[in-house]
Amino acid sequence: MTELEIRTFSAFKEEPTWMKDLRFNNFGSFTTLQQPDIEKVNFHRWDLMGDAINTEYGEELINSQQYQYGAGDAAKIVQYGKETMMEQLPQELVEAGVIFTDIFTAMQDYPELVEKYYMTKAVKPDENNLTGYHAAYMNSGIFLYVPKDVVIKEPLEALFIQNSFVKEAFNKHILIVADTNSAVTYVEKYETEGTEKNSANIIVEVITRPGAKVKFSAVDHLGENTTAFISRRGHLERDSSIDWAIGVMNDGNIIADFDSDLIGDGSHSVVKAVAVSTGKQIQGINTRVTNYGNHSIGHILQHGVILDRATLTFNGIGHIIKGAKGADAQQESRVLMLSDSARGDANPILLIDENEVTAGHAASVGRVDPEQMFYLLSRGIEKEEAERLVIRGFLGTVIAAIPLKEIRDELVEMIDKKLRRTES
């Protein structure tokens, strides 16, 4: 994309001056930054920075208006490609000051609020070449703001469909700010329509002010012709918490970065992630929790299943910074391999710079428990079904943490489809 195309896009979206400056400050410099560090994953020749703007849409965009997602009157957003197809927010949340809208509308209507948090606290543009590229070429996204003391009882939902009927990078930014003592549950889902080879660059920033509580769930199901970088980052202030539940069900090659920075004393984050790799795909996932605050708690639980000739790598990083007294960092990464040709890694890393702390890790790469299989087979269950039941149980901790039943059911169905496709 040329500088003129970026200027045209920015003007069309009526971006504020600070956003235009952010784009152009990174347009000429991101290629000089290093690639992200994903241990034991050879992604350096992947095409992760595709063309970001395309104005040519066909019937598929018109037909996308059929999308109705979630419960009838729930708070929800549906985006198809870079276009917002649906926004819905109950009146009581509007009156409470909740903002739930596309990122460009938020920049126009709440420029100072968005500027305060957009790539300033959780994710920085100069971290690596992919965050710098994102700062220059972001082309869609949403903004969620929950005001001080507002507690939202029902989940807010977002559906993001990658439009791969056209050649266009899927560069999406999700910015969530939970103000002091607020609480919210947010669920997002990604999927792909079409077969064009495209890149995806998805950055999610979750900022929790003192005492705020966020439950974040995601199901990632990008297509086999999509090569993606997915970064989800939490910035947690004093006594706040983020519970992450993430299902990594993509069909293409993916590198991902799930991080929580426990800045404030007493902050708390639990990251639960499940992944299934099939075919020849490669998925590399860094999950990191960094304890800065005293008595902060960071736990990581990762379970993955690998089939065929696929590769899945879990890197779990727990880092307790000097001065974080009473901090707790725990992690568990386990991988099930269902093929002799599969490759799996579970790499626990503990970096402890303080004495008065608690830390631990567990990691394993192995096959389905033969005792579990024998028990099921002895009760007349066919081998394929028995294997599916064992895998569901293995992945069940994260599945159970997703708050919407229809999303839990869909995640189970995705896992079953991957297994059936492999069996055939």
Side-chain angles (χ1 to χ4, degrees):
M1 182 190 294
T2 66
E3 182 175 343
L4 177 60
E5 287 173 320
I6 291 181
R7 288 190 184 279
T8 301
F9 181 78
S10 183
F12 177 73
K13 292 296 186 181
E14 299 180 8
E15 292 180 340
T17 301
W18 65 263
M19 183 62 194
K20 295 176 186 176
D21 291 344
L22 180 67
R23 286 191 186 277
F24 290 108
N25 288 342
N26 288 277
F27 171 73
S29 63
F30 75 86
T31 56
T32 65
L33 298 172
Q34 301 224 347
Q35 290 186 308
D37 184 17
I38 310 289
E39 289 285 338
K40 299 191 176 182
V41 182
N42 185 13
F43 65 92
H44 304 91
R45 296 186 179 220
W46 295 4
D47 183 9
L48 288 163
M49 295 183 284
D51 293 333
I53 305 297
N54 188 325
T55 57
E56 298 177 3
Y57 285 112
E59 289 297 318
E60 64 277 2
L61 183 57
I62 297 172
N63 294 338
S64 71
Q65 297 183 47
Q66 66 185 306
Y67 280 100
Q68 299 292 319
Y69 179 61
D73 59 351
K76 58 189 173 184
I77 288 180
V78 178
Q79 291 186 341
Y80 192 96
K82 63 179 183 290
E83 302 298 325
T84 299
M85 308 308 301
M86 179 182 188
E87 285 189 12
Q88 184 169 284
L89 188 64
Q91 185 60 31
E92 62 268 23
L93 296 184
V94 174
E95 293 172 356
V98 175
I99 302 166
F100 190 40
T101 188
D102 78 88
I103 194 72
F104 299 111
T105 298
M107 287 179 186
Q108 294 169 24
D109 295 348
Y110 315 98
E112 294 180 358
L113 184 58
V114 179
E115 180 184 11
K116 182 178 180 180
Y117 296 105
Y118 186 94
M119 299 193 84
T120 62
K121 293 183 179 295
V123 177
K124 305 292 178 60
D126 61 355
E127 288 185 16
N128 55 65
N129 64 343
L130 296 180
T131 59
Y133 162 81
H134 183 96
Y137 293 120
M138 184 275 292
N139 59 16
S140 64
I142 66 170
F143 176 59
L144 168 60
Y145 173 74
V146 185
K148 180 180 177 181
D149 296 324
V150 171
V151 175
I152 302 177
K153 296 181 179 179
E154 297 299 323
L156 280 69
E157 308 166 39
L159 171 62
F160 304 119
I161 304 113
Q162 180 190 28
N163 180 10
S164 282
F165 291 103
V166 297
K167 190 72 177 172
E168 178 179 72
F170 189 62
N171 295 340
K172 193 166 293 289
H173 196 101
I174 313 303
L175 177 58
I176 298 173
V177 180
D179 216 328
T180 305
N181 294 325
S182 65
V184 64
T185 298
Y186 168 82
V187 180
E188 67 180 18
K189 180 184 166 190
Y190 292 86
E191 59 185 53
T192 300
E193 287 194 354
T195 57
E196 282 281 356
K197 289 186 177 180
N198 279 318
S199 67
N201 183 304
I202 298 166
I203 288 182
V204 177
E205 300 184 281
V206 182
I207 291 90
T208 51
R209 302 301 313 279
K213 300 184 185 306
V214 173
K215 292 185 177 180
F216 182 105
S217 299
V219 178
D220 302 338
H221 190 208
L222 296 171
E224 63 181 341
N225 290 326
T226 298
T227 305
F229 167 69
I230 303 173
S231 178
R232 293 187 171 102
R233 181 80 57 82
H235 178 96
L236 295 89
E237 298 185 20
R238 176 178 49 82
D239 295 325
S240 68
S241 67
I242 304 176
D243 290 338
W244 307 87
I246 304 169
V248 185
M249 300 290 135
N250 305 290
D251 292 326
N253 291 340
I254 306 292
I255 54 171
D257 206 342
F258 304 146
D259 299 339
S260 296
D261 291 325
L262 304 172
I263 304 298
D265 293 351
S267 53
H268 182 179
S269 183
V270 176
V271 187
K272 296 178 180 178
V274 296
V276 177
S277 289
T278 60
K280 297 180 181 179
Q281 78 173 137
I282 299 170
Q283 296 192 107
I285 301 171
N286 268 12
T287 304
R288 179 182 60 81
V289 176
T290 305
N291 300 68
Y292 294 91
N294 292 334
H295 303 287
S296 55
I297 299 173
H299 290 179
I300 298 169
L301 176 64
Q302 304 180 112
H303 283 191
V305 176
I306 321 174
L307 305 102
D308 308 317
R309 298 174 62 188
T311 299
L312 174 62
T313 301
F314 281 141
N315 296 312
I317 306 116
H319 189 181
I320 298 179
I321 302 297
K322 180 69 175 175
K325 295 187 182 302
D328 181 11
Q330 305 290 335
Q331 59 174 286
E332 175 186 315
S333 298
R334 301 198 184 279
V335 175
L336 271 183
M337 299 177 65
L338 301 182
S339 165
D340 292 336
S341 302
R343 287 189 53 198
D345 280 301
N347 307 309
I349 301 169
L350 283 176
L351 306 171
I352 311 299
D353 299 327
E354 179 58 57
N355 292 322
E356 300 175 30
V357 300
T358 303
H361 65 78
S364 68
V365 177
R367 303 196 175 276
V368 173
D369 188 334
E371 290 187 7
Q372 291 180 331
M373 286 294 293
F374 177 79
Y375 176 85
L376 294 171
L377 293 172
S378 68
R379 275 146 182 78
I381 299 174
E382 295 292 331
K383 180 183 176 183
E384 291 79 8
E385 179 62 20
E387 207 166 60
R388 279 196 288 270
L389 289 172
V390 170
I391 291 169
R392 280 192 201 176
F394 179 71
L395 303 179
T397 305
V398 173
I399 295 172
I402 294 175
L404 289 177
K405 182 180 184 301
E406 56 264 37
I407 301 298
R408 292 197 300 270
D409 293 344
E410 192 166 352
L411 184 54
V412 170
E413 186 179 344
M414 283 182 193
I415 294 168
D416 285 350
K417 280 183 179 179
K418 282 179 173 282
L419 295 175
R420 284 196 295 268
R421 185 173 61 189
T422 301
E423 290 160 8
S424 63

